[in-house]
Amino acid sequence: MESFNLLLDGFADAATPANLLWALLGVTIGTAVGVLPGIGPALTVALLLPLTFRLEPTGALILFAGVYYGGMYGGSTSAILLNTPGESASMVAAMEGNKMAKAGRAASALATAAIGSFVAGTIATVLLTFVAQPFADLAVSFTPADYVAMMAIAFVTVASLLGSSPLKGFASLVIGLTIGLVGIESQSGQARLTFGLPSLLDGIDVVVVVIALFAIGEVFAHALRGGGGGTVTPLKGRAVMTREDWRRSWPAWLRGTAFGFPIGALPAGGAEIPTFLSYATEKNLSKHKDEFGHGAIEGVAGPEAANNAAAAGVLVPLLTIGLPTSATAAVILTAFQAYGLQPGPQLFSESGPLVYALLASLFIGNLMLLVLNLPLARVWAKMLQIPAYGIYAGILVFATLGALASGGGLADLMVLYVIGALGVLMAMADVPVAPAIVGLILGPLFEKQLQRALLISEGDPAVLFDSTLSIVLWVVAALGLVVPVVIGRLKRRATRV
């Protein structure tokens, strides 16, 4: 009941005209960038970060949450009409959705994706609201050693699961950890990796690094590789569903939600695993197995619901223990820190009204997204015809202005493009960016908690395995290292057979 009452207060804050405007702006921008291939919510939040420093924290975070949810919605449009998923979690929807579009059923595919996203997002947000506070209360009892183990899980998760190979993921993680070391070490006061440059003594601004890797690096890499050249399937009519479509979709929406939220809420979860599980389940349970691979509506409904439910689940570890498990969550964590807020157990006690206004805005944003996506599906489809060079040029301009708007001078601008050049090399080598961002953000926190644990134990490293919880967490981290390797070998063996 306490959470319910706090949520009602959150609705009162989120329903103010200013916050409603930020929510509407966020979901609109999020849907637009989700539709456009090569641009995702992480890149968009990174570009908006320096432009929103003058906003109140509540309004800015509502805007970012709208972009996050909107990007999940919009990604299905490019996946279905262009067969180009904006994120890896949209791959499964593209498999069946694009086949439906080519068969003249694009409107039904977009409708089941939009309505399924609304259903899953609403249910998952309800669960998030009532799970987050108890989990935060439990996290208050965590020791520094427990936090070290949890951050190790986050490192292993993003390095192993985000990218084409664990080795490339760990290479990206090391890059982020190294950038996070730049500046003066808090305990000894010694300068690290500053190369004698006074401008680096305070470290490298996280916002500048995020913009450099996501915007500069990705844009130039896309330009060097070429702008795609896919064929957009035309959308005829409104995004509507027949009675048969409804009958086949609603069980898939519920099952997708059941997969998405709990797996997304795990520190080692993510959105990719539940979407594939949902697809496999729908294929096994369907009475229309012959349609799979040729445009089965359940193959769009279930995975899209799982994707959006996982998006809400990802906010559980982010808000309660400060662990980001996706690229967008890592950038949103940067937004919290930019306003002097540190997600974790204390966030609910110190900034409860802000948190519940944010949660209430997710309900409002979900409804706005449904209203935007169904009637305006043809408008979003036309955005896929925008020339790539126009998109990339605009991103470069906003990235440069964003670095300057965050209070940076010429030195920060030089750092922006140096790290941007590193981002280009990473993208061309297919090294994922997300582990670098997580390493950059969590690296200093990991170091601080490790120092606290060792100070308490007077330098005895056995303190890291001193509690049952920390042992369990280290086991999970070890499994995160081993399981992807085993799965990869089994897949290779299966393809040989």
Side-chain angles (χ1 to χ4, degrees):
M1 285 303 297
E2 182 184 358
S3 294
F4 181 74
N5 291 331
L6 290 169
L7 182 62
L8 291 179
D9 293 337
F11 269 107
D13 292 336
T16 61
N19 287 336
L20 285 175
L21 179 62
W22 292 125
L24 179 61
L25 183 62
V27 297
T28 305
I29 294 174
T31 304
V33 300
V35 168
L36 295 172
I39 306 178
L43 169 57
T44 308
V45 174
L47 289 173
L48 290 174
L49 266 176
L51 304 179
T52 55
F53 283 158
R54 294 183 181 275
L55 289 182
E56 290 292 323
T58 303
L61 292 171
I62 286 175
L63 172 68
F64 296 146
V67 171
Y68 180 42
Y69 265 31
M72 297 296 108
Y73 270 71
S76 62
T77 302
S78 59
I80 291 168
L81 299 181
L82 192 61
N83 199 26
T84 305
E87 294 191 352
S88 55
S90 300
M91 286 191 300
V92 182
M95 289 162 49
E96 298 295 334
N98 189 246
K99 297 285 174 50
M100 288 182 67
K102 289 180 177 178
R105 301 182 61 213
S108 295
L110 290 174
T112 193
I115 298 172
S117 296
F118 170 76
V119 171
T122 302
I123 295 173
T125 306
V126 170
L127 295 173
L128 168 65
T129 302
F130 293 100
V131 165
Q133 179 69 63
F135 196 87
D137 293 340
L138 176 65
V140 172
S141 62
F142 289 173
T143 66
D146 296 333
Y147 275 108
V148 169
M150 281 189 291
M151 290 183 200
I153 291 176
F155 292 151
V156 169
T157 300
V158 297
S160 299
L161 300 180
L162 301 181
S164 57
S165 74
L167 183 61
K168 291 181 178 180
F170 279 102
S172 176
L173 179 66
V174 170
I175 290 171
L177 290 171
T178 304
I179 296 174
L181 291 175
V182 174
I184 297 176
E185 200 275 319
S186 58
Q187 293 291 324
S188 64
Q190 295 293 315
R192 300 186 297 193
L193 303 177
T194 59
F195 306 103
L197 299 176
S199 59
L200 295 180
L201 289 174
D202 290 331
I204 300 176
D205 192 339
V206 174
V207 175
V208 171
V209 178
V210 169
I211 293 174
L213 292 180
F214 276 107
I216 307 296
E218 291 291 326
V219 163
F220 276 115
H222 277 293
L224 290 172
R225 284 195 295 255
T231 302
V232 181
T233 304
L235 178 62
K236 299 176 182 178
R238 296 181 297 115
V240 293
M241 296 173 62
T242 64
R243 182 176 296 180
E244 176 67 10
D245 291 336
W246 278 95
R247 187 185 65 79
R248 293 174 58 177
S249 293
W250 73 261
W253 294 335
L254 298 179
R255 285 190 290 262
T257 305
F259 279 118
F261 181 79
I263 295 177
L266 294 173
E272 293 81 6
I273 296 172
T275 55
F276 280 101
L277 287 175
S278 173
Y279 182 79
T281 301
E282 297 309 319
K283 188 174 182 179
N284 289 327
L285 296 179
S286 177
K287 297 178 181 178
H288 309 273
K289 291 183 173 61
D290 56 310
E291 292 186 17
F292 277 81
H294 304 282
I297 194 167
E298 300 98 322
V300 180
E304 271 304 298
N307 183 14
N308 283 268
V314 163
L315 296 178
V316 174
L318 176 66
L319 294 176
T320 57
I321 51 179
L323 291 183
T325 56
S326 71
T328 311
V331 182
I332 292 176
L333 177 58
T334 305
F336 273 97
Q337 293 174 339
Y339 286 99
L341 302 168
Q342 179 57 51
Q346 303 302 323
L347 182 67
F348 285 80
S349 58
E350 296 175 358
S351 305
L354 182 149
V355 174
Y356 280 95
L358 178 63
L359 295 175
S361 75
L362 297 179
F363 288 99
I364 296 170
N366 248 325
L367 183 60
M368 288 179 173
L369 280 165
L370 186 66
V371 173
L372 279 173
N373 274 265
L374 291 179
L376 301 179
R378 299 180 71 178
V379 175
W380 302 126
K382 288 182 179 179
M383 289 189 64
L384 291 169
Q385 299 172 359
I386 297 175
Y389 61 80
I391 298 172
Y392 297 152
I395 291 174
L396 284 177
V397 171
F398 278 109
T400 305
L401 292 176
L404 293 174
S406 63
L410 181 61
D412 280 330
L413 208 56
M414 292 176 65
V415 169
L416 175 76
Y417 279 93
V418 168
I419 297 179
L422 175 63
V424 174
L425 296 177
M426 291 172 65
M428 297 302 291
D430 198 24
V431 174
V433 171
I437 301 300
V438 172
L440 170 67
I441 295 171
L442 292 187
L445 297 175
F446 179 86
E447 182 183 33
K448 187 180 296 184
Q449 295 292 350
L450 180 61
Q451 288 173 341
R452 286 180 180 174
L454 293 176
L455 282 172
I456 292 171
S457 67
E458 298 181 349
D460 183 5
V463 70
L464 299 178
F465 309 94
D466 199 32
S467 68
T468 303
L469 177 60
S470 60
I471 293 172
V472 170
L473 293 172
W474 283 113
V475 170
V476 172
L479 289 174
L481 281 173
V482 174
V483 170
V485 176
V486 173
I487 292 175
R489 288 185 177 179
L490 290 175
K491 284 182 179 178
R492 286 193 294 270
R493 186 175 297 175
T495 54
R496 288 173 191 165
V497 175

